[in-house]
Amino acid sequence: PTANRVELTVEWSNENGSKDKNVKINIYDLTGRKWQSNEYLIASAFNRIRIPVNSLATGLYIFEIESNGSKISRKVVIEN
């Protein structure tokens, strides 16, 4: 994921080309507090989602994608 002060852009491709799945995207601060949680219906093999982050303070956050019981987490730095 890449972030600027306005939005977080997430891009990925489904390895097996599966479509029509629900994906939940969560953003946590380092204390574990959930700042955002959004759910999306994925309808293609390649996906790009832009998530507004202008309400988040500058700092380090944990970005999590959850789908079909699996979770992937990455650290994201939000800067001014």
Side-chain angles (χ1 to χ4, degrees):
T2 57
N4 62 34
R5 197 64 193 117
V6 178
E7 67 185 18
L8 173 72
T9 302
V10 182
E11 297 177 339
W12 77 94
S13 60
N14 296 334
E15 291 178 7
N16 59 7
S18 59
K19 300 177 184 177
D20 299 328
K21 291 185 177 183
N22 285 327
V23 172
K24 184 183 250 185
I25 298 178
N26 301 308
I27 300 175
Y28 300 92
D29 65 16
L30 293 182
T31 67
R33 180 179 173 193
K34 187 185 291 185
W35 282 89
Q36 288 188 24
S37 182
N38 299 295
E39 214 166 300
Y40 302 91
L41 176 64
I42 302 306
S44 67
F46 178 78
N47 302 280
R48 176 182 293 144
I49 296 174
R50 291 186 171 101
I51 302 168
V53 294
N54 54 337
S55 63
L56 300 177
T58 297
L60 184 62
Y61 293 85
I62 304 298
F63 163 83
E64 176 185 81
I65 297 177
E66 184 178 349
S67 178
N68 293 337
S70 298
K71 294 181 183 180
I72 298 171
S73 299
R74 298 288 184 266
K75 292 180 183 176
V76 176
V77 176
I78 304 295
E79 299 177 338
N80 284 337

